[in-house]
């Protein structure tokens, strides 16, 4: 009997639906599945308040771990043949609960020398967040063997509006009855089951070295060259903002709140003004940088980590 552990954090239940569609089809006579939901001692709200959302930015981006509730001891009672790690992206970074777990002693015990398949569900930008997850997995000596990325397929600016509506209202329905539903589509959630057979085959035959190639044949990862560039630039700018807001917070809460309001205004400007300009520049420079973009696509579709 093969043992699989599903580690995840979800506020809305969307990610758990995806993970269940991947692992539930496993042959129950050959594979036993255990779930571990990551929980914080001081959980984030859902629906989010705008104050809580923007206040989460500095620590989220800087990957400052929060205190976790201890996992049930039964989770540690067995050695797992595969761990499926489901996560979301907060501010171009793995969410605070996932980051906190991957920096915990529990992660070292559960993931060390163990094959891991990561599953991300997010709006659209996950590239640099996955690079951060790769480094965190390496730190606990886990073996990343597969990656699946499911995203909101709506146009960028439409998805900004619909995701914000979902986050701040808790309603995943069609905003005003006009906009598309936010998040990963119901169709993509349901069709996540297509990944189950190749993962199970790799698990039962211990052929994890070829798993990512088979997942890519099923369109498990689609790398958008424009979003690669946007993600890189966003991480650079966010690093400056996170450092500034942390410094202001050390001076006083009032100063932190004042500068967080400036950050909110910057985000609005970046999404609605800077991003379209960056897209035009990307189109102009696409052909001269085609070979570079092709290499980036191959790398970010893989499970490998560049050595610094």
């Amino acid at each position: 009997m093969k043992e699989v552990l599903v580690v995840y954090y979800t506020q809305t239940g969307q990610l758990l639906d995806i993970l269940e569609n991947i692992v539930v089809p496993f042959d129950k006579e050959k594979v036993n599945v255990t779930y571990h939901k990551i929980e914080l001692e001081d959980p984030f709200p859902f629906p989010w308040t705008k104050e809580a959302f923007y206040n989460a930015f500095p620590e989220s981006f800087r990957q400052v771990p929060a205190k976790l509730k201890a996992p049930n001891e039964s989770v540690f009672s067995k050695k797992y043949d595969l761990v499926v790690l489901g996560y979301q992206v907060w501010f171009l970074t793995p969410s605070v609960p996932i980051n906190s777990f991957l920096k915990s002693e529990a992660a070292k015990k559960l993931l060390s020398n163990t094959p891991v398949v990561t599953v991300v569900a997010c709006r659209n930008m996950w590239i640099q967040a996955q690079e951060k997850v790769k480094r965190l997995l390496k730190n606990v000596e886990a073996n990343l063997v597969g990656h699946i990325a499911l995203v909101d397929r709506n146009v960028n600016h439409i998805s900004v509006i619909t995701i914000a509506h979902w986050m701040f209202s808790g309603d995943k329905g069609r905003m005003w009855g006009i906009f598309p539903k936010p998040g990963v589509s119901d169709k993509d959630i349901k069709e996540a089951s297509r990944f189950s057979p190749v993962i199970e085959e790799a698990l039962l035959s211990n052929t994890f070295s070829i798993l990512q190639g088979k997942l890519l044949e099923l369109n498990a990862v689609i790398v958008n060259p424009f979003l690669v560039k946007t993600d890189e630039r966003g991480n650079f700018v966010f690093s400056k903002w996170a450092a500034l807001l942390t410094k202001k917070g050390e001076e006083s809460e009032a100063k932190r709140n004042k500068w967080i309001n400036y950050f909110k205004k910057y985000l609005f400007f970046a999404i609605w003004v800077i991003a379209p300009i960056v897209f035009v520049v990307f189109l102009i420079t696409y052909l001269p940088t085609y070979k570079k973009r092709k290499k980036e696509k191959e790398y970010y579709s893989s499970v490998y980590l560049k050595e610094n």
Side-chain angles (χ1 to χ4, degrees):
M1 179 73 75
K2 295 288 186 177
E3 294 289 344
V4 174
L5 176 66
V6 177
V7 179
Y8 70 99
Y9 170 80
T10 183
Q11 290 179 303
T12 67
Q14 173 182 262
L15 182 59
L16 180 57
D17 288 342
I18 292 167
L19 295 170
E20 287 181 333
N21 283 337
I22 293 172
V23 303
V24 166
F26 291 166
D27 186 338
K28 293 176 178 57
E29 293 185 359
K30 298 178 180 178
V31 182
N32 182 58
V33 179
T34 301
Y35 291 85
H36 169 52
K37 180 181 180 181
I38 298 167
E39 296 183 277
L40 298 178
E41 287 190 2
D42 184 17
F44 290 96
F46 189 82
W48 286 83
T49 64
K50 291 187 178 180
E51 179 183 11
F53 176 75
Y54 291 105
N55 254 303
F57 163 68
E59 289 71 29
S60 178
F61 184 78
R62 292 177 56 238
Q63 296 181 264
V64 178
K67 290 185 178 180
L68 300 174
K69 290 185 179 180
N72 190 302
E73 282 301 317
S74 62
V75 173
F76 300 106
S77 66
K78 55 189 84 170
K79 173 62 179 174
Y80 296 97
D81 301 289
L82 174 68
V83 173
V84 179
L85 176 68
Y87 75 96
Q88 310 86 2
V89 177
W90 293 4
F91 300 105
L92 309 182
T93 304
S95 70
V96 170
I98 290 295
N99 170 65
S100 303
F101 169 75
L102 290 174
K103 290 185 175 181
S104 71
E105 288 300 315
K108 292 179 182 178
K109 293 178 182 178
L110 294 170
L111 305 184
S112 179
N113 298 313
T114 302
V116 175
V117 171
T118 49
V119 180
V120 59
C122 64
R123 189 172 74 85
N124 56 19
M125 282 192 283
W126 55 266
I127 294 289
Q128 292 304 318
Q130 179 66 3
E131 290 300 288
K132 295 169 189 179
V133 167
K134 287 179 183 178
R135 288 190 284 271
L136 290 168
L137 289 173
K138 181 180 179 181
N139 289 343
V140 295
E141 299 181 334
N143 179 22
L144 181 62
V145 296
H147 179 56
I148 298 167
L150 298 181
V151 302
D152 187 329
R153 293 178 181 268
N154 292 305
V155 175
N156 185 47
H157 287 88
I158 294 296
S159 69
V160 168
I161 295 170
T162 57
I163 289 291
H165 171 71
W166 186 19
M167 284 194 310
F168 298 130
S169 73
D171 179 11
K172 200 186 178 183
R174 293 165 62 92
M175 181 179 173
W176 303 336
I178 300 173
F179 286 88
K181 290 179 67 175
V184 179
S185 71
D186 293 341
K187 181 175 183 290
D188 283 345
I189 292 173
K190 183 179 179 180
E191 291 182 355
S193 59
R194 71 185 186 276
F195 305 122
S196 181
V198 296
I199 295 175
E200 183 178 22
E201 180 185 5
L203 172 65
L204 296 177
S205 62
N206 196 30
T207 53
F208 289 113
S209 61
I210 60 174
L211 174 58
Q212 185 61 10
K214 292 192 173 184
L215 288 173
L216 291 179
E217 291 175 1
L218 298 172
N219 295 320
V221 174
I222 304 296
V223 175
N224 183 320
F226 167 64
L227 293 179
V228 170
K229 190 66 177 177
T230 306
D231 204 342
E232 289 176 353
R233 182 62 184 170
N235 268 265
F236 174 78
V237 176
F238 274 14
S239 68
K240 306 301 180 185
W241 272 106
L244 175 63
L245 293 172
T246 300
K247 180 180 179 181
K248 295 300 179 182
E250 291 170 351
E251 294 174 7
S252 72
E253 184 177 350
K255 285 188 176 180
R256 174 181 167 117
N257 290 337
K258 175 183 176 181
W259 280 89
I260 281 178
N261 282 328
Y262 292 150
F263 174 67
K264 288 164 61 176
K265 292 180 174 63
Y266 162 76
L267 273 185
F268 183 87
F269 182 76
I271 291 169
W272 296 100
V273 178
I274 297 177
I277 295 172
V278 171
F279 182 63
V280 172
V281 173
F282 169 79
L283 291 177
I284 294 171
T285 60
Y286 182 77
L287 285 179
T289 60
Y290 175 76
K291 289 184 178 180
K292 178 185 177 184
R293 301 298 171 206
K294 185 178 180 181
K295 288 181 180 179
E296 287 178 339
K297 183 176 181 179
E298 291 174 357
Y299 169 70
Y300 290 125
S301 297
S302 77
V303 292
Y304 305 113
L305 176 63
K306 289 179 181 176
E307 296 296 335
N308 293 328

